[in-house]
């Protein structure tokens, strides 16, 4: 019996050592669950990210978010006709039925993939990039301007801790490979920088 306990102890210790080595070798820290839970609350209830970043579909009771594409942005396979020409007002914009493509005086914008996919989402972003995006209104804090309808002017008022929590949560959701198109500038204007 004593021998079995010794073997179990050695195996358990080996598993812990392997897990610690994995987290250290991959450069990943185990996420702070309290921070992740706060981020989940902010993303799903407070910030309304699903309203635009999760494509909508027609359900039995009308339009609803397609949770199989949770926060994956505008579907890469959704071909759209040219956007309506914006009028001078008071109606100045339009949107796709998916709620992921928006057109107005700025051209056409597509909601981005917020999943941790490395190629098409936030997988290569750092917490600092995420916070800088909301503080400056520029992609990763230094790229092109964030386009309507993204209300970054509201999100910039969140605390750093709230933005860190949102980012921590977004890093834990399932990655969805979905390359969102680049925004389309108004007719006759140069392409938006990346």
């Amino acid at each position: 019996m004593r021998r079995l306990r010794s073997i179990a102890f050695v195996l358990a210790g080996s598993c812990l050592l392997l897990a610690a080595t994995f987290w250290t070798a991959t450069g990943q820290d185990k996420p702070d669950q309290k921070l992740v839970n706060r981020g989940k609350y902010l993303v799903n209830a407070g910030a309304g990210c699903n309203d635009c970043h999760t494509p909508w579909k027609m359900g039995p009771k009308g339009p609803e978010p397609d949770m199989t594409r949770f926060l994956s942005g505008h579907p890469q396979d959704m071909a759209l006709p040219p956007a309506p020409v914006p009028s001078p007002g008071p109606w100045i914009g339009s949107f796709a039925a998916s709620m992921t493509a928006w057109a107005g005086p700025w051209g056409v914008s597509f909601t981005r993939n917020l999943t941790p996919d490395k190629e098409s989402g936030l997988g290569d972003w750092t917490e600092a990039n995420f916070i800088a995006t909301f503080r400056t209104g520029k992609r990763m804090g230094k790229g092109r301007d964030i386009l309507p309808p993204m209300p970054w002017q509201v999100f910039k008022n969140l605390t750093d801790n709230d933005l860190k929590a949102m980012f921590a949560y977004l890093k834990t959701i399932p990655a969805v490979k979905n390359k969102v198109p680049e925004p389309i500038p108004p007719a006759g204007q140069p392409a938006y920088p990346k």
Side-chain angles (χ1 to χ4, degrees), residues 10-167:
V10 169
L11 287 174
S14 298
C15 288
L16 286 172
L17 182 61
L18 283 172
T21 303
F22 168 78
W23 287 107
T24 305
T26 59
Q28 298 175 355
D29 294 324
K30 192 171 181 182
D32 174 347
Q33 196 57 50
K34 187 175 177 183
L35 191 67
V36 169
N37 290 344
R38 173 76 177 154
K40 181 178 183 179
Y41 166 75
L42 290 168
V43 166
N44 291 310
C49 299
N50 272 323
D51 293 348
C52 297
H53 290 275
T54 298
W56 285 58
K57 65 178 183 174
M58 192 56 72
K61 296 182 180 179
E64 63 185 25
D66 179 355
M67 299 309 281
T68 65
R69 296 179 174 198
F70 182 59
L71 297 177
S72 64
H74 181 75
Q76 67 185 15
D77 58 355
M78 179 183 246
L80 295 173
V85 176
S87 68
W91 296 95
I92 60 168
S94 56
F95 57 91
S98 64
M99 299 292 285
T100 59
W102 301 77
W106 64 89
V108 179
S109 53
F110 302 94
T111 57
R112 82 167 282 116
N113 184 345
L114 299 182
T115 75
D117 183 67
K118 288 218 178 264
E119 292 176 34
S120 61
L122 298 180
D124 287 336
W125 283 48
T126 65
E127 182 181 85
N129 296 144
F130 189 77
I131 293 171
T133 295
F134 292 105
R135 297 289 177 243
T136 65
K138 296 190 175 293
R139 186 177 184 279
M140 297 183 94
K142 59 184 181 256
R144 68 161 172 76
D145 290 341
I146 297 182
L147 300 172
M150 180 62 195
W152 72 268
Q153 301 90 340
V154 174
F155 285 84
K156 77 177 182 177
N157 297 311
L158 291 170
T159 66
D160 281 355
N161 285 341
D162 282 343
L163 292 172
K164 287 176 182 181
M166 291 171 73
F167 186 71

